[in-house]
Amino acid sequence: MKSILITFFLLLAGLAKAQRPALFKIIEDDKAGYIDTSGTIVIKPVFQNGTNFSEGLAAVRLNGHYGFIDQTGAFVIQPQYDIARPFSGGIAQVFKDGVPFFISKQNVILPFSFYALDFISNMKAIVTSKSGKQGLLDIPSGKLLIDTLYGSIEPSGSGLVIATEAAGPGEIKWRPRSTVIDTTGRIIVPFGKYPAIHSFSEGYATVVMYAQGTRYTSGVIDSTGQVIAVWPDEMHIAYGEDYHEGFISVDINRPAMSRKRSGDADPIYQVFADLKGRKVFDDPQYKYAFGFSAGRAFLMDTNKLVTLIDKQFKPVVETKFSKVQREKFVNGYAVVGLNNNANWGIVDTTGQFVVPPKYMGIHNAGVIDGYFFFKNVTRDGGYQFVDLYGIASLKGDTVLPPLMKRFDEEGFKNGLLEALVEDKPCYINRKGQIVWQQTAANTPIIKRLNTEYISEGYFLATATPKPGHNIESEMWYQTDNNPRKIADEKFPLNTLAVTIDTTKMAMYDDKYRGYQIFVSNTTGRDVIFSAKNSCINMILQALNSKGEWKDILLPPTASCDKCSHKIVLDPYSYWRFVMPDYEGEITTKIRAKLVLTDKKDPKNKHVVYSNEIAGSVNPAQFWYQKEELPEI
């Protein structure tokens, strides 16, 4: 019955793919809405947040909860979830109180008890259990093809996955063993047979093999796990290289007696090998041999000049290039540099320039649907140089002059390119017209912060500068928030105190309403704080619906080993910080929590709480840590 139910919902999802024209997410006045390809607003910006449309629906947040709307802006699933992710394969992941669920487009909860689900095809997905272990799920039947026993699972082509062994409780595996499994769950290569297994490409994978004693050698296996070739001792797997069009780039290294394993020494030079492990191209004048694509490959000689060759290993043209972006052809074209990269152009597989080498730079995205993105460097009005990108076609037309600071590197989607021009998000059509751009308010509006995730601590402080001390030599983030001497300020006496002042408005992040927080020291002695990147260990908490204090701001973390340090607050001094005035669906109380560590006994923690203030938050703020998303 479960299998029939899931299959039914997948069928409905497939039928739903015949949808209306594409819509694009916009943000105006901190609210999400949607436009069409002409830039016309179709769904007004009224939502606190939203995702792009996927399979005809978009997840949007209205007040504190997410629901799903169709392309008319009507809710087909009413707002009820703390967090919601887009539909994929007719399934969306949603959360309530930090608990994940998977739903259909009919808002039916599907019988999957996993924490995460990532599709690798329409019918299969890698799933992650609550313990962090991964397996492989057959979506229509709802059955695990590979049980959730592995530390990681990566699709590897040829209907195979490479899985690594999971670490036990409290265990760290620096070099976990790998196994190869097919998508029916059958073990192809058992754990530990090879020290390293690389991804399959064109049905073959390179592996590191055990040799005599502590030495290793390299070889090739096919998709059944059979050994096809064992390479001679001088040949080793080149970093990041797989089989392409029947050949692979191979490192020719120092003799085995001077090395213990692959990768210990820089290659003397690289050659091409075939599937049987035979060297089919071996010329020491070429330092690097880059993989084949579109029947072509690039060779870099010892003078760092690049030659284009065919599959008979013959030069295609006499021209020598100074560099090749991505070291291969992509979509039938390669971006190449001449004259020490001062001039960039684009060649086809004949080696002829289809775009003359006249550009200061061409973006690594290459040619997408007949367009490429060229660079110009300008000053930002001061001493900083800024890369700005324009759009040109292979026909030689400049579609847009260099105006974009950032853009979607996947190119135009449904006719529009998402970009950042003059520090404002916008959409550009294939004619180079900006069809929509975020508008700036005529008068700044100071708002409360309406968010949906826990952020990391941001209370930056520093000690009173000492004579002769060079603060710039410190490894951690520098701030000018020095201690201030207490004068007429009214702070609790003879104690270390945290005070939130709601009587005066302060600016948070230059655009949100906030409150001042003071950490005052009236003890008559120095107080030592543990800090990370100059952030003291102070967080914010709010009362949840159960009357429990929960963190809505996480303790700071260190970005390097030397970024954990101490800060001293002098006697009768204070620091001033600013916290946001949160806006949310849940009316509650908020407080600050300061944690001090005893330098004699680090396990002994001393906690100081602030006064409680009235506030409001959203439900996801109690648990959701926002993922790092790529910027456009």
Side-chain angles (χ1 to χ4, degrees):
M1 181 63 185
K2 181 172 75 171
S3 174
I4 296 173
L5 182 66
I6 297 172
T7 303
F8 171 71
F9 288 130
L10 290 174
L11 178 61
L12 290 179
L15 294 173
K17 288 185 178 179
Q19 51 186 260
R20 299 185 179 202
L23 297 183
F24 305 83
K25 175 185 166 184
I26 61 171
I27 300 291
E28 285 282 17
D29 194 26
D30 283 344
K31 297 292 180 67
Y34 298 87
I35 61 171
D36 62 16
T37 53
S38 71
T40 302
I41 294 178
V42 177
I43 300 174
K44 293 181 179 179
V46 296
F47 306 107
Q48 276 75 24
N49 202 356
T51 68
N52 290 315
F53 273 87
S54 176
E55 301 183 2
L57 299 179
V60 295
R61 179 162 68 87
L62 188 61
N63 299 321
H65 288 94
Y66 274 89
F68 288 86
I69 59 171
D70 63 19
Q71 290 181 303
T72 69
F75 276 102
V76 296
I77 297 176
Q78 292 297 316
Q80 57 195 280
Y81 299 110
D82 297 355
I83 294 292
R85 296 194 169 112
F87 274 94
S88 177
I91 298 173
Q93 186 179 37
V94 295
F95 293 82
K96 279 187 178 180
D97 297 324
V99 178
F101 300 92
F102 295 93
I103 62 171
S104 70
K105 291 184 178 180
Q106 292 70 39
N107 200 28
V108 174
I109 295 177
L110 301 177
F112 299 151
S113 58
F114 308 111
Y115 190 79
L117 182 150
D118 297 302
F119 281 87
I120 61 173
S121 71
N122 290 334
M123 297 299 173
K124 292 182 175 63
I126 294 171
V127 292
T128 305
S129 68
K130 293 178 182 178
S131 65
K133 296 178 181 178
Q134 292 191 325
L136 186 67
L137 180 72
D138 179 69
I139 298 294
S141 68
K143 295 181 179 179
L144 284 169
L145 300 171
I146 300 174
D147 203 354
T148 50
L149 300 173
Y150 300 97
S152 68
I153 290 181
E154 294 290 340
S156 187
S158 303
L160 303 173
V161 299
I162 295 178
T164 61
E165 62 183 335
E171 182 185 12
I172 297 176
K173 288 188 178 292
W174 297 108
R175 290 186 177 180
R177 297 181 303 166
S178 298
T179 180
V180 178
I181 311 173
D182 69 17
T183 50
T184 69
R186 185 169 61 94
I187 301 291
I188 302 299
V189 177
F191 271 126
K193 184 171 183 178
Y194 303 114
I197 305 171
H198 296 255
S199 295
F200 280 82
S201 176
E202 300 178 359
Y204 300 92
T206 52
V207 295
V208 176
M209 298 175 168
Y210 292 107
Q212 294 180 352
T214 59
R215 292 193 302 108
Y216 299 91
T217 188
S218 303
V220 183
I221 61 172
D222 64 16
S223 58
T224 69
Q226 296 298 311
V227 175
I228 300 301
V230 177
W231 292 350
D233 199 49
E234 66 173 352
M235 294 170 54
H236 295 270
I237 301 167
Y239 178 78
E241 287 294 336
D242 300 313
Y243 274 98
H244 297 289
E245 301 182 9
F247 301 108
I248 188 170
S249 179
V250 175
D251 286 349
I252 299 298
N253 292 102
R254 295 184 178 91
M257 293 298 292
S258 66
R259 50 187 290 114
K260 289 188 176 180
R261 59 182 178 270
S262 178
D264 277 352
D266 291 333
I268 297 174
Y269 65 101
Q270 292 180 333
V271 303
F272 281 112
D274 63 12
L275 292 173
K276 295 183 179 180
R278 299 174 302 193
K279 288 187 287 186
V280 292
F281 176 79
D282 183 352
D283 189 339
Q285 73 168 305
Y286 294 107
K287 177 79 171 176
Y288 297 105
F290 303 116
F292 273 90
S293 58
R296 299 288 186 264
F298 291 99
L299 304 172
M300 180 180 287
D301 63 28
T302 53
N303 294 317
K304 296 186 177 180
L305 295 177
V306 180
T307 299
L308 176 63
I309 62 171
D310 59 21
K311 294 188 75 172
Q312 284 70 49
F313 311 105
K314 303 295 184 185
V316 175
V317 289
E318 294 182 2
T319 305
K320 301 282 188 178
F321 308 110
S322 58
K323 186 139 185 179
V324 182
Q325 278 191 6
R326 299 172 69 172
E327 298 161 350
K328 63 181 180 180
F329 281 85
V330 179
N331 300 324
Y333 299 97
V335 178
V336 298
L338 286 181
N339 304 327
N340 295 321
N341 308 334
N343 302 98
W344 289 87
I346 299 174
V347 297
D348 61 17
T349 55
T350 69
Q352 302 301 312
F353 279 97
V354 294
V355 173
K358 63 179 182 179
Y359 293 99
M360 179 182 295
I362 295 178
H363 194 274
N364 202 41
V367 179
I368 305 175
D369 297 330
Y371 297 90
F372 64 95
F373 307 95
F374 64 93
K375 182 175 74 173
N376 189 26
V377 178
T378 185
R379 288 187 183 272
D380 63 356
Y383 294 101
Q384 298 294 322
F385 288 96
V386 178
D387 291 345
L388 294 179
Y389 287 89
I391 307 172
S393 73
L394 288 177
K395 297 178 181 178
D397 302 322
T398 297
V399 177
L400 180 79
L403 300 174
M404 303 182 296
K405 187 177 287 186
R406 295 197 299 271
F407 61 92
D408 186 344
E409 296 179 13
E410 295 182 2
F412 288 91
K413 294 177 180 175
N414 296 308
L416 294 185
L417 177 72
E418 190 176 6
L420 190 72
V421 173
E422 296 179 345
D423 291 320
K424 292 184 288 187
C426 66
Y427 286 98
I428 302 168
N429 65 18
R430 293 178 185 273
K431 295 180 180 179
Q433 300 167 329
I434 298 177
V435 300
W436 174 86
Q437 187 165 24
Q438 191 178 79
T439 57
N442 293 327
T443 56
I445 301 174
I446 301 174
K447 303 175 245 185
R448 301 170 70 192
L449 177 60
N450 193 313
T451 187
E452 60 192 35
Y453 58 89
I454 306 174
S455 57
E456 191 175 295
Y458 44 70
F459 297 114
L460 294 165
T462 190
T464 301
K466 304 298 182 183
H469 178 64
N470 180 15
I471 192 170
E472 294 183 357
S473 66
E474 309 292 3
M475 293 290 293
W476 48 83
Y477 182 84
Q478 303 302 323
T479 175
D480 58 1
N481 189 18
N482 296 315
R484 309 177 190 194
K485 284 296 181 182
I486 297 174
D488 299 328
E489 297 84 5
K490 304 297 182 183
F491 294 123
L493 298 177
N494 303 317
T495 189
L496 178 72
V498 181
T499 307
I500 303 177
D501 181 7
T502 60
T503 62
K504 295 180 181 178
M505 189 190 75
M507 289 292 290
Y508 173 76
D509 198 27
D510 295 328
K511 58 181 177 179
Y512 296 109
R513 194 170 86 178
Y515 300 127
Q516 295 182 98
I517 302 184
F518 299 99
V519 175
S520 57
N521 176 16
T522 58
T523 64
R525 58 181 175 79
D526 289 345
V527 177
I528 300 175
F529 294 75
S530 295
K532 295 180 179 179
N533 286 320
S534 296
C535 287
I536 63 173
N537 192 0
M538 187 165 69
I539 64 173
L540 300 176
Q541 296 182 316
L543 281 173
N544 65 11
S545 59
K546 298 178 181 179
E548 303 167 326
W549 286 102
K550 294 293 184 181
D551 297 348
I552 59 172
L553 187 72
L554 296 174
T557 58
S559 59
C560 64
D561 293 338
K562 296 183 179 180
C563 293
S564 295
H565 56 105
K566 304 293 184 183
I567 302 178
V568 176
L569 180 59
D570 306 323
Y572 307 108
S573 300
Y574 69 94
W575 284 310
R576 174 189 176 274
F577 307 99
V578 177
M579 62 168 280
D581 179 11
Y582 290 111
E583 176 186 59
E585 195 171 88
I586 302 171
T587 301
T588 185
K589 297 229 177 248
I590 296 174
R591 72 184 183 187
K593 176 184 176 182
L594 174 65
V595 180
L596 297 176
T597 302
D598 190 325
K599 64 178 181 179
K600 294 182 179 179
D601 182 9
K603 294 182 180 179
N604 185 19
K605 307 291 184 182
H606 177 58
V607 178
V608 179
Y609 293 103
S610 73
N611 54 308
E612 299 173 9
I613 65 170
S616 60
V617 297
N618 288 312
Q621 283 182 258
F622 289 114
W623 63 270
Y624 179 52
Q625 297 182 41
K626 186 178 180 182
E627 299 98 334
E628 290 294 328
L629 300 177
E631 291 186 338
I632 63 166

